Coordinates of all heavy atoms in Angstrom, one line a residue:
F1 N -100.1 17.9 -99.7 CA -100.4 16.5 -99.4 C -99.6 16.0 -98.3 O -99.7 14.9 -97.9 CB -100.1 15.6 -100.7 CG -100.9 16.0 -101.9 CD1 -100.4 16.6 -102.9 CD2 -102.3 15.7 -101.8 CE1 -101.2 16.9 -104.0 CE2 -103.1 16.0 -102.9 CZ -102.6 16.6 -104.0
G2 N -98.7 16.8 -97.7 CA -98.0 16.4 -96.5 C -96.7 15.7 -96.8 O -96.1 15.1 -95.9
Q3 N -96.2 15.8 -98.0 CA -95.0 15.1 -98.3 C -93.7 15.6 -97.6 O -92.7 14.9 -97.6 CB -94.8 15.0 -99.8 CG -94.5 16.3 -100.6 CD -95.8 16.8 -101.2 OE1 -96.9 16.8 -100.5 NE2 -95.8 17.3 -102.4
V4 N -93.7 16.8 -97.1 CA -92.6 17.3 -96.3 C -92.6 16.9 -94.8 O -91.7 17.2 -94.1 CB -92.3 18.8 -96.5 CG1 -92.0 19.1 -98.0 CG2 -93.5 19.6 -96.1
G5 N -93.7 16.3 -94.4 CA -93.8 15.8 -93.0 C -93.9 16.9 -91.9 O -93.6 16.6 -90.8
H6 N -94.4 18.1 -92.3 CA -94.5 19.1 -91.3 C -95.9 19.2 -90.7 O -96.2 20.1 -89.9 CB -94.1 20.5 -91.9 CG -92.7 20.6 -92.2 ND1 -92.2 21.6 -92.9 CD2 -91.6 19.8 -91.9 CE1 -90.9 21.5 -93.1 NE2 -90.5 20.4 -92.5
G7 N -96.8 18.3 -91.1 CA -98.1 18.3 -90.5 C -99.2 19.0 -91.3 O -100.3 19.0 -90.8
G8 N -98.9 19.7 -92.4 CA -100.0 20.4 -93.1 C -100.2 19.7 -94.5 O -99.3 19.2 -95.1
A9 N -101.5 19.8 -94.9 CA -101.8 19.3 -96.2 C -102.2 20.3 -97.2 O -102.9 20.1 -98.2 CB -102.9 18.2 -96.1
H10 N -101.9 21.6 -96.9 CA -102.3 22.7 -97.8 C -101.1 23.0 -98.8 O -100.0 22.8 -98.5 CB -102.7 23.9 -97.0 CG -101.6 24.4 -96.1 ND1 -101.4 23.8 -94.8 CD2 -100.7 25.3 -96.2 CE1 -100.4 24.4 -94.2 NE2 -100.0 25.3 -95.0
A11 N -101.5 23.5 -99.9 CA -100.5 23.9 -100.9 C -99.9 25.3 -100.5 O -100.6 26.3 -100.6 CB -101.1 23.9 -102.3
A12 N -98.6 25.3 -100.2 CA -98.0 26.5 -99.8 C -96.5 26.3 -99.9 O -96.0 25.1 -99.7 CB -98.4 26.9 -98.4
P13 N -95.7 27.3 -100.1 CA -94.3 27.1 -100.1 C -93.8 26.6 -98.8 O -94.3 27.1 -97.7 CB -93.7 28.5 -100.4 CG -94.8 29.3 -101.0 CD -96.1 28.7 -100.4
A14 N -93.0 25.6 -98.8 CA -92.5 25.0 -97.5 C -91.1 25.6 -97.2 O -90.2 25.5 -98.0 CB -92.4 23.5 -97.6
R15 N -91.0 26.1 -96.0 CA -89.7 26.6 -95.5 C -89.0 25.4 -94.9 O -89.6 24.5 -94.4 CB -90.0 27.7 -94.5 CG -90.7 28.9 -95.0 CD -90.9 29.9 -94.0 NE -89.6 30.6 -93.8 CZ -89.3 31.3 -92.7 NH1 -90.1 31.4 -91.7 NH2 -88.1 31.8 -92.6
P16 N -87.7 25.4 -95.0 CA -86.9 24.3 -94.4 C -87.3 24.2 -92.9 O -87.4 25.2 -92.2 CB -85.5 24.7 -94.6 CG -85.5 25.6 -95.8 CD -86.8 26.3 -95.7
G17 N -87.5 23.0 -92.5 CA -87.8 22.7 -91.1 C -87.4 21.3 -90.7 O -87.0 20.5 -91.5
I18 N -87.5 21.1 -89.5 CA -87.1 19.8 -88.9 C -88.3 18.8 -89.0 O -89.4 19.2 -88.6 CB -86.7 19.9 -87.5 CG1 -85.4 20.7 -87.4 CG2 -86.4 18.5 -86.8 CD1 -84.9 21.1 -86.1
V19 N -88.1 17.6 -89.5 CA -89.1 16.5 -89.5 C -88.8 15.8 -88.2 O -87.7 15.3 -88.0 CB -89.0 15.6 -90.7 CG1 -89.9 14.4 -90.6 CG2 -89.2 16.4 -92.0
H20 N -89.8 15.7 -87.3 CA -89.6 15.2 -85.9 C -89.7 13.7 -86.0 O -90.8 13.1 -86.3 CB -90.6 15.8 -85.0 CG -90.4 17.3 -84.8 ND1 -89.3 17.8 -84.1 CD2 -91.0 18.3 -85.3 CE1 -89.3 19.1 -84.2 NE2 -90.4 19.5 -84.9
L21 N -88.6 13.0 -85.6 CA -88.6 11.5 -85.5 C -88.1 11.1 -84.1 O -87.6 10.0 -84.0 CB -87.7 10.9 -86.6 CG -88.1 11.0 -88.0 CD1 -87.0 10.6 -89.0 CD2 -89.4 10.2 -88.2
S22 N -88.3 11.9 -83.2 CA -87.9 11.6 -81.8 C -86.5 11.1 -81.6 O -86.3 10.0 -81.0 CB -89.0 10.6 -81.2 OG -90.2 11.2 -81.3
G23 N -85.6 11.7 -82.1 CA -84.2 11.4 -81.9 C -83.7 10.2 -82.8 O -82.5 9.7 -82.6
V24 N -84.4 9.8 -83.7 CA -84.0 8.7 -84.6 C -83.0 9.2 -85.7 O -83.3 10.3 -86.2 CB -85.3 8.1 -85.4 CG1 -84.9 7.1 -86.4 CG2 -86.2 7.5 -84.3
L25 N -81.9 8.5 -85.9 CA -80.9 9.0 -86.8 C -81.3 8.5 -88.2 O -81.6 7.4 -88.4 CB -79.6 8.5 -86.4 CG -79.0 8.9 -85.1 CD1 -77.7 8.3 -84.7 CD2 -78.9 10.5 -85.0
V26 N -81.1 9.4 -89.2 CA -81.6 9.2 -90.6 C -80.4 8.8 -91.4 O -79.3 9.5 -91.3 CB -82.3 10.4 -91.2 CG1 -82.6 10.2 -92.6 CG2 -83.6 10.7 -90.4
R27 N -80.5 7.8 -92.3 CA -79.5 7.4 -93.2 C -79.7 7.9 -94.6 O -78.8 8.3 -95.3 CB -79.4 5.8 -93.3 CG -78.5 5.3 -94.4 CD -78.4 3.8 -94.3 NE -77.9 3.5 -93.0 CZ -77.3 2.4 -92.7 NH1 -77.2 1.4 -93.5 NH2 -76.9 2.2 -91.4
Q28 N -81.0 7.9 -95.0 CA -81.4 8.3 -96.4 C -82.8 8.8 -96.5 O -83.6 8.4 -95.7 CB -81.3 7.0 -97.3 CG -81.6 7.3 -98.7 CD -81.8 6.0 -99.5 OE1 -81.6 4.9 -99.0 NE2 -82.1 6.2 -100.8
V29 N -83.0 9.7 -97.4 CA -84.3 10.2 -97.8 C -84.6 10.1 -99.2 O -83.6 10.3 -100.1 CB -84.4 11.7 -97.4 CG1 -85.7 12.3 -97.8 CG2 -84.1 12.0 -95.9
A30 N -85.8 9.6 -99.6 CA -86.1 9.5 -101.0 C -87.5 10.2 -101.2 O -88.4 10.1 -100.4 CB -86.3 8.0 -101.4
C31 N -87.6 10.9 -102.3 CA -88.8 11.7 -102.6 C -89.5 11.3 -103.9 O -88.8 11.2 -104.9 CB -88.5 13.2 -102.7 SG -87.8 13.8 -101.1
G32 N -90.8 11.0 -103.8 CA -91.6 10.7 -104.9 C -92.3 12.0 -105.4 O -92.0 13.1 -104.9
E33 N -93.3 11.8 -106.2 CA -94.1 13.0 -106.7 C -94.8 13.7 -105.5 O -94.7 14.9 -105.4 CB -95.1 12.5 -107.8 CG -95.8 13.7 -108.4 CD -96.6 13.3 -109.6 OE1 -96.8 12.1 -109.8 OE2 -97.1 14.2 -110.3
Y34 N -95.5 12.9 -104.7 CA -96.3 13.4 -103.6 C -96.0 12.7 -102.3 O -96.9 12.7 -101.4 CB -97.8 13.4 -103.9 CG -98.1 14.3 -105.1 CD1 -98.6 13.8 -106.3 CD2 -98.0 15.7 -105.0 CE1 -99.0 14.6 -107.3 CE2 -98.3 16.5 -106.1 CZ -98.8 15.9 -107.2 OH -99.2 16.7 -108.3
H35 N -95.0 12.0 -102.2 CA -94.7 11.3 -100.9 C -93.1 11.3 -100.7 O -92.4 11.5 -101.6 CB -95.2 9.9 -100.9 CG -94.5 8.9 -101.7 ND1 -94.6 8.9 -103.1 CD2 -93.8 7.8 -101.4 CE1 -93.9 7.9 -103.6 NE2 -93.3 7.2 -102.6
S36 N -92.8 11.0 -99.5 CA -91.4 10.9 -99.1 C -91.1 9.7 -98.2 O -92.0 9.3 -97.4 CB -90.9 12.2 -98.3 OG -91.1 13.3 -99.1
L37 N -89.9 9.1 -98.3 CA -89.5 8.0 -97.5 C -88.3 8.4 -96.7 O -87.4 9.1 -97.2 CB -89.2 6.8 -98.4 CG -90.2 6.3 -99.3 CD1 -89.7 5.2 -100.2 CD2 -91.4 5.7 -98.5
I38 N -88.2 7.9 -95.5 CA -87.1 8.2 -94.6 C -86.6 6.9 -94.1 O -87.3 6.1 -93.5 CB -87.4 9.1 -93.5 CG1 -88.0 10.5 -94.0 CG2 -86.3 9.3 -92.5 CD1 -88.7 11.3 -93.0
L39 N -85.3 6.6 -94.3 CA -84.7 5.4 -93.9 C -83.8 5.7 -92.7 O -82.9 6.6 -92.8 CB -83.8 4.7 -95.0 CG -83.0 3.5 -94.6 CD1 -84.0 2.3 -94.2 CD2 -82.2 3.0 -95.8
T40 N -83.9 5.0 -91.6 CA -83.1 5.2 -90.4 C -81.8 4.4 -90.4 O -81.7 3.5 -91.2 CB -83.9 4.9 -89.1 OG1 -84.0 3.5 -89.0 CG2 -85.3 5.6 -89.1
V41 N -80.9 4.8 -89.6 CA -79.6 4.0 -89.5 C -79.9 2.6 -89.0 O -79.1 1.7 -89.2 CB -78.6 4.7 -88.6 CG1 -78.2 6.0 -89.3 CG2 -79.0 4.9 -87.2
D42 N -81.0 2.4 -88.3 CA -81.4 1.0 -87.8 C -82.1 0.2 -88.9 O -82.6 -0.9 -88.6 CB -82.3 1.1 -86.6 CG -81.5 1.7 -85.4 OD1 -80.3 1.5 -85.3 OD2 -82.2 2.4 -84.6
G43 N -82.3 0.8 -90.1 CA -82.9 0.0 -91.2 C -84.4 0.1 -91.2 O -85.1 -0.8 -91.8
E44 N -85.1 1.0 -90.5 CA -86.5 1.1 -90.5 C -86.9 2.2 -91.4 O -86.2 3.2 -91.7 CB -87.0 1.5 -89.1 CG -86.7 0.4 -88.0 CD -87.2 0.8 -86.7 OE1 -86.9 2.0 -86.3 OE2 -87.8 0.0 -86.0
I45 N -88.1 2.1 -92.0 CA -88.6 3.1 -93.0 C -89.8 3.9 -92.4 O -90.7 3.3 -91.8 CB -89.1 2.4 -94.3 CG1 -88.0 1.5 -94.9 CG2 -89.6 3.4 -95.3 CD1 -88.4 0.6 -96.0
F46 N -89.8 5.2 -92.6 CA -90.9 6.0 -92.2 C -91.3 6.7 -93.5 O -90.6 6.9 -94.5 CB -90.4 7.1 -91.2 CG -90.1 6.6 -89.9 CD1 -88.9 5.9 -89.6 CD2 -91.1 6.7 -88.9 CE1 -88.6 5.4 -88.4 CE2 -90.8 6.2 -87.6 CZ -89.6 5.5 -87.3
S47 N -92.6 7.1 -93.6 CA -93.1 7.7 -94.8 C -94.1 8.8 -94.4 O -94.7 8.9 -93.3 CB -93.8 6.7 -95.7 OG -94.9 6.1 -95.1
C48 N -94.3 9.7 -95.4 CA -95.3 10.8 -95.3 C -95.7 11.3 -96.6 O -95.0 11.1 -97.6 CB -94.8 12.0 -94.4 SG -93.3 12.7 -95.0
G49 N -96.9 11.9 -96.7 CA -97.4 12.5 -98.0 C -98.6 11.8 -98.5 O -99.4 11.2 -97.7
L50 N -98.9 11.9 -99.7 CA -100.1 11.3 -100.3 C -99.9 9.8 -100.5 O -98.9 9.3 -101.1 CB -100.4 12.0 -101.7 CG -101.7 11.5 -102.4 CD1 -102.9 11.9 -101.6 CD2 -101.7 12.2 -103.8
N51 N -100.9 9.0 -100.1 CA -100.9 7.6 -100.1 C -101.5 7.0 -101.4 O -102.2 6.0 -101.4 CB -101.6 7.0 -98.9 CG -101.1 5.5 -98.6 OD1 -100.1 5.1 -99.1 ND2 -102.0 4.8 -97.9
A52 N -101.3 7.7 -102.5 CA -101.9 7.3 -103.8 C -101.3 5.9 -104.2 O -100.1 5.7 -104.1 CB -101.5 8.3 -104.9
H53 N -102.3 5.0 -104.4 CA -101.9 3.7 -104.8 C -101.1 2.9 -103.7 O -100.4 2.0 -104.0 CB -101.2 3.6 -106.1 CG -101.9 4.3 -107.2 ND1 -103.0 3.8 -107.8 CD2 -101.7 5.5 -107.8 CE1 -103.5 4.6 -108.8 NE2 -102.7 5.7 -108.8
G54 N -101.2 3.4 -102.5 CA -100.5 2.7 -101.4 C -99.0 3.1 -101.3 O -98.2 2.3 -100.7
A55 N -98.6 4.2 -101.9 CA -97.1 4.6 -101.9 C -96.5 4.7 -100.5 O -95.3 4.5 -100.4 CB -96.9 5.9 -102.7
L56 N -97.3 5.0 -99.5 CA -96.7 5.2 -98.2 C -96.4 3.9 -97.5 O -95.7 3.8 -96.5 CB -97.7 6.0 -97.3 CG -97.9 7.4 -97.7 CD1 -98.9 8.1 -96.7 CD2 -96.7 8.2 -97.9
G57 N -97.1 2.8 -98.0 CA -96.9 1.5 -97.3 C -97.7 1.4 -96.0 O -97.4 0.6 -95.1
I58 N -98.7 2.3 -95.9 CA -99.6 2.3 -94.7 C -101.0 2.1 -95.2 O -101.6 2.9 -95.9 CB -99.5 3.7 -94.0 CG1 -98.0 3.9 -93.6 CG2 -100.4 3.8 -92.8 CD1 -97.7 5.4 -93.2
A59 N -101.6 0.9 -94.8 CA -102.9 0.6 -95.3 C -104.0 1.4 -94.7 O -103.9 1.9 -93.6 CB -103.2 -0.9 -95.0
G60 N -105.0 1.7 -95.5 CA -106.2 2.4 -95.0 C -106.1 3.9 -94.8 O -106.9 4.5 -94.1
R61 N -105.0 4.5 -95.3 CA -104.8 5.9 -95.1 C -104.8 6.6 -96.5 O -104.2 6.1 -97.4 CB -103.5 6.2 -94.4 CG -103.3 5.6 -93.1 CD -103.8 6.5 -91.9 NE -103.3 7.9 -92.0 CZ -102.2 8.4 -91.5 NH1 -101.4 7.6 -90.8 NH2 -101.9 9.6 -91.6
D62 N -105.4 7.8 -96.6 CA -105.4 8.6 -97.8 C -104.1 9.4 -97.9 O -103.5 9.5 -98.9 CB -106.5 9.6 -97.9 CG -107.8 8.9 -98.1 OD1 -107.8 7.8 -98.7 OD2 -108.9 9.4 -97.7
S63 N -103.6 9.9 -96.7 CA -102.4 10.6 -96.7 C -101.8 10.6 -95.3 O -102.5 10.3 -94.3 CB -102.6 12.1 -97.2 OG -103.4 12.8 -96.2
G64 N -100.5 10.9 -95.2 CA -99.9 10.9 -93.9 C -99.2 12.3 -93.8 O -98.1 12.5 -94.4
Q65 N -99.8 13.2 -93.1 CA -99.3 14.5 -93.0 C -98.2 14.6 -92.0 O -97.3 15.5 -92.0 CB -100.4 15.5 -92.6 CG -101.4 15.6 -93.7 CD -102.6 16.4 -93.2 OE1 -102.6 17.1 -92.2 NE2 -103.7 16.3 -94.0
Q66 N -98.1 13.6 -91.1 CA -97.0 13.4 -90.2 C -96.3 12.1 -90.6 O -96.8 11.3 -91.2 CB -97.6 13.2 -88.7 CG -98.4 14.4 -88.2 CD -97.5 15.6 -87.9 OE1 -96.4 15.5 -87.6 NE2 -98.1 16.7 -88.0
V67 N -95.0 12.1 -90.2 CA -94.2 10.9 -90.5 C -94.7 9.7 -89.7 O -94.9 9.8 -88.5 CB -92.7 11.3 -90.2 CG1 -91.8 10.1 -90.5 CG2 -92.2 12.4 -91.0
E68 N -94.8 8.6 -90.4 CA -95.3 7.4 -89.8 C -94.4 6.2 -90.2 O -94.0 6.1 -91.3 CB -96.7 7.1 -90.1 CG -97.4 6.0 -89.3 CD -98.9 6.0 -89.6 OE1 -99.5 7.0 -89.9 OE2 -99.5 4.9 -89.5
K69 N -94.2 5.3 -89.3 CA -93.3 4.1 -89.5 C -94.1 3.1 -90.5 O -95.3 2.9 -90.3 CB -93.0 3.4 -88.3 CG -92.0 2.2 -88.4 CD -91.6 1.7 -87.1 CE -90.8 0.4 -87.3 NZ -90.5 -0.1 -86.0
V70 N -93.4 2.6 -91.5 CA -93.9 1.6 -92.4 C -93.8 0.3 -91.6 O -92.7 -0.2 -91.3 CB -93.2 1.6 -93.7 CG1 -93.7 0.4 -94.6 CG2 -93.3 2.9 -94.4
T71 N -94.9 -0.4 -91.4 CA -94.9 -1.6 -90.6 C -95.5 -2.8 -91.4 O -96.3 -3.6 -90.9 CB -95.8 -1.4 -89.3 OG1 -97.1 -1.0 -89.7 CG2 -95.1 -0.4 -88.4
S72 N -95.1 -2.9 -92.7 CA -95.6 -4.1 -93.5 C -95.2 -5.4 -92.9 O -94.1 -5.5 -92.4 CB -95.0 -3.9 -94.9 OG -95.2 -5.1 -95.6
N73 N -96.0 -6.4 -93.0 CA -95.6 -7.7 -92.5 C -94.4 -8.2 -93.2 O -93.6 -8.9 -92.6 CB -96.8 -8.7 -92.7 CG -98.0 -8.4 -91.8 OD1 -97.8 -7.9 -90.7 ND2 -99.1 -8.8 -92.2
H74 N -94.2 -7.9 -94.5 CA -93.1 -8.4 -95.2 C -91.8 -7.8 -94.8 O -90.7 -8.4 -94.9 CB -93.3 -8.2 -96.7 CG -94.5 -8.9 -97.3 ND1 -94.5 -10.3 -97.4 CD2 -95.6 -8.4 -97.8 CE1 -95.7 -10.6 -97.9 NE2 -96.4 -9.5 -98.1
L75 N -91.8 -6.5 -94.3 CA -90.6 -5.9 -93.9 C -90.3 -6.0 -92.4 O -89.2 -5.7 -92.0 CB -90.7 -4.4 -94.2 CG -90.7 -4.0 -95.7 CD1 -91.0 -2.5 -95.9 CD2 -89.3 -4.3 -96.3
R76 N -91.3 -6.5 -91.7 CA -91.2 -6.5 -90.2 C -89.9 -7.4 -89.8 O -89.8 -8.5 -90.2 CB -92.4 -7.1 -89.6 CG -92.4 -7.0 -88.1 CD -93.8 -7.2 -87.5 NE -94.6 -6.1 -87.9 CZ -95.9 -6.2 -88.1 NH1 -96.5 -7.3 -88.0 NH2 -96.6 -5.1 -88.4
G77 N -89.0 -6.7 -89.1 CA -87.8 -7.4 -88.6 C -86.7 -7.5 -89.6 O -85.6 -8.0 -89.3
L78 N -86.9 -7.0 -90.9 CA -85.8 -7.1 -91.9 C -85.2 -5.7 -91.9 O -85.9 -4.7 -92.3 CB -86.4 -7.4 -93.2 CG -86.7 -8.9 -93.5 CD1 -87.4 -9.1 -94.9 CD2 -85.5 -9.8 -93.3
P79 N -83.9 -5.6 -91.6 CA -83.3 -4.2 -91.8 C -83.1 -3.9 -93.2 O -82.8 -4.8 -94.1 CB -81.9 -4.4 -91.1 CG -81.7 -5.9 -90.9 CD -83.1 -6.5 -91.0
V80 N -83.4 -2.7 -93.6 CA -83.3 -2.2 -95.0 C -82.0 -1.4 -95.2 O -81.6 -0.6 -94.4 CB -84.6 -1.3 -95.2 CG1 -84.5 -0.6 -96.6 CG2 -85.8 -2.1 -95.1
R81 N -81.4 -1.6 -96.4 CA -80.2 -1.0 -96.7 C -80.4 0.4 -97.4 O -79.7 1.3 -97.2 CB -79.4 -1.9 -97.7 CG -78.1 -1.3 -98.1 CD -77.3 -2.2 -99.1 NE -77.2 -3.5 -98.7 CZ -76.2 -4.0 -98.0 NH1 -75.2 -3.3 -97.8 NH2 -76.1 -5.3 -97.6
C82 N -81.4 0.4 -98.3 CA -81.7 1.7 -99.0 C -83.2 1.7 -99.5 O -83.8 0.6 -99.6 CB -80.8 1.9 -100.2 SG -80.8 0.7 -101.5
V83 N -83.7 2.9 -99.8 CA -85.0 3.0 -100.3 C -85.0 3.9 -101.6 O -84.1 4.6 -101.8 CB -86.0 3.7 -99.3 CG1 -86.2 2.8 -98.1 CG2 -85.4 5.1 -98.8
A84 N -86.1 3.8 -102.4 CA -86.3 4.6 -103.6 C -87.7 4.9 -103.7 O -88.6 4.1 -103.3 CB -85.8 3.8 -104.8
A85 N -88.0 6.1 -104.3 CA -89.4 6.5 -104.5 C -89.7 6.9 -105.9 O -88.9 7.7 -106.5 CB -89.8 7.7 -103.5
G86 N -90.7 6.3 -106.5 CA -91.1 6.7 -107.8 C -92.3 7.7 -107.7 O -92.5 8.2 -106.6
A87 N -92.9 8.0 -108.8 CA -94.0 9.0 -108.7 C -95.1 8.6 -107.7 O -95.5 9.4 -106.8 CB -94.7 9.2 -110.1
Q88 N -95.5 7.3 -107.7 CA -96.6 6.8 -106.8 C -96.2 5.4 -106.3 O -97.1 4.6 -106.0 CB -97.9 6.8 -107.5 CG -98.4 8.2 -107.9 CD -99.7 8.2 -108.7 OE1 -100.4 7.2 -108.8 NE2 -100.0 9.3 -109.3
S89 N -94.9 5.1 -106.2 CA -94.5 3.8 -105.7 C -93.3 4.0 -104.9 O -92.6 5.0 -104.8 CB -94.2 2.9 -106.9 OG -93.1 3.5 -107.7
S90 N -93.0 2.9 -104.1 CA -91.8 2.9 -103.2 C -91.1 1.5 -103.3 O -91.8 0.5 -103.6 CB -92.3 3.2 -101.8 OG -92.9 4.4 -101.7
M91 N -89.8 1.5 -103.1 CA -89.1 0.3 -103.1 C -88.1 0.3 -101.9 O -87.6 1.4 -101.5 CB -88.3 0.1 -104.4 CG -89.2 0.1 -105.6 SD -88.2 -0.1 -107.1 CE -87.8 -1.8 -107.0
A92 N -87.8 -0.9 -101.4 CA -86.8 -1.0 -100.4 C -85.9 -2.2 -100.7 O -86.4 -3.2 -101.2 CB -87.4 -1.2 -99.0
L93 N -84.6 -2.1 -100.4 CA -83.6 -3.2 -100.6 C -83.2 -3.6 -99.2 O -82.6 -2.8 -98.5 CB -82.4 -2.7 -101.4 CG -81.3 -3.7 -101.6 CD1 -81.7 -4.9 -102.3 CD2 -80.1 -3.0 -102.2
S94 N -83.4 -4.8 -98.8 CA -83.0 -5.3 -97.5 C -81.5 -5.6 -97.5 O -80.9 -5.7 -98.5 CB -83.8 -6.6 -97.1 OG -83.3 -7.7 -97.9
I95 N -81.0 -5.7 -96.3 CA -79.6 -6.0 -96.1 C -79.3 -7.3 -96.7 O -78.2 -7.5 -97.3 CB -79.3 -6.0 -94.6 CG1 -79.5 -4.7 -93.9 CG2 -77.9 -6.6 -94.3 CD1 -78.4 -3.7 -94.0
G96 N -80.2 -8.3 -96.7 CA -80.1 -9.6 -97.3 C -80.2 -9.6 -98.8 O -80.1 -10.7 -99.4
G97 N -80.5 -8.5 -99.5 CA -80.6 -8.4 -100.9 C -82.0 -8.6 -101.5 O -82.1 -8.8 -102.7
H98 N -83.0 -8.7 -100.7 CA -84.4 -8.8 -101.2 C -84.9 -7.4 -101.5 O -84.7 -6.5 -100.8 CB -85.3 -9.5 -100.1 CG -84.8 -10.9 -99.9 ND1 -84.0 -11.2 -98.8 CD2 -85.1 -12.0 -100.5 CE1 -83.8 -12.5 -98.8 NE2 -84.5 -13.1 -99.8
V99 N -85.7 -7.3 -102.6 CA -86.3 -6.1 -103.0 C -87.8 -6.2 -102.7 O -88.4 -7.1 -103.0 CB -86.1 -5.8 -104.6 CG1 -86.8 -4.6 -105.0 CG2 -84.6 -5.7 -104.9
F100 N -88.3 -5.1 -102.1 CA -89.7 -5.0 -101.8 C -90.3 -3.8 -102.5 O -89.7 -2.7 -102.5 CB -89.9 -4.9 -100.3 CG -89.4 -6.1 -99.5 CD1 -88.1 -6.1 -99.1 CD2 -90.2 -7.1 -99.2 CE1 -87.6 -7.2 -98.4 CE2 -89.8 -8.2 -98.5 CZ -88.5 -8.3 -98.1
C101 N -91.4 -3.9 -103.1 CA -92.1 -2.8 -103.8 C -93.5 -2.7 -103.4 O -94.2 -3.7 -103.1 CB -92.1 -3.1 -105.4 SG -90.5 -3.5 -106.0
W102 N -94.0 -1.4 -103.3 CA -95.4 -1.2 -103.0 C -95.8 0.1 -103.7 O -95.0 0.9 -104.1 CB -95.6 -1.2 -101.5 CG -94.9 -0.2 -100.7 CD1 -95.3 1.1 -100.4 CD2 -93.6 -0.3 -100.2 NE1 -94.4 1.7 -99.7 CE2 -93.3 0.9 -99.5 CE3 -92.6 -1.3 -100.2 CZ2 -92.1 1.1 -98.9 CZ3 -91.4 -1.1 -99.6 CH2 -91.1 0.1 -98.9
G103 N -97.1 0.3 -103.8 CA -97.7 1.5 -104.4 C -98.1 1.3 -105.8 O -98.1 0.2 -106.4

């Protein structure tokens, strides 16, 4: 489903590899059942994998085989402190203490 962000959606053992974020520094990674979230040191969220129930935070997509920035109107401009991933849901805690949930 693309949850490791290497660009493939086929079921196969994944060898450790680099997820390309163009030099962006990562603070945290959270993994759900079929999706992953990546939080940068600048407080931005990227996601990849199966978009079941909107878990990626990217509208209109079935899956994200490549890592893509989450650009929700509610999160726009708010730096995020940490992220969490459930089976088919995602959460973010902003620096200001607001909790955002999707999926």
Side-chain angles (χ1 to χ4, degrees):
F1 297 108
Q3 63 264 44
V4 295
H6 291 170
H10 56 280
R15 299 180 75 200
I18 295 173
V19 175
H20 298 283
L21 290 174
S22 301
V24 174
L25 297 176
V26 174
R27 172 175 303 198
Q28 180 192 357
V29 176
C31 300
E33 186 174 11
Y34 296 114
H35 74 290
S36 299
L37 302 174
I38 300 167
L39 176 64
T40 71
V41 296
D42 293 329
E44 297 177 316
I45 303 170
F46 290 80
S47 64
C48 58
L50 182 64
N51 200 22
H53 306 285
L56 296 182
I58 301 167
R61 299 268 315 268
D62 290 334
S63 66
Q65 297 170 14
Q66 300 288 334
V67 177
E68 189 171 332
K69 185 177 176 182
V70 176
T71 57
S72 165
N73 288 335
H74 299 292
L75 290 172
R76 191 164 289 146
L78 285 176
V80 172
R81 179 183 310 265
C82 63
V83 293
Q88 298 175 11
S89 62
S90 301
M91 298 179 79
L93 174 65
S94 74
I95 298 274
H98 295 96
V99 175
F100 298 88
C101 306
W102 60 95

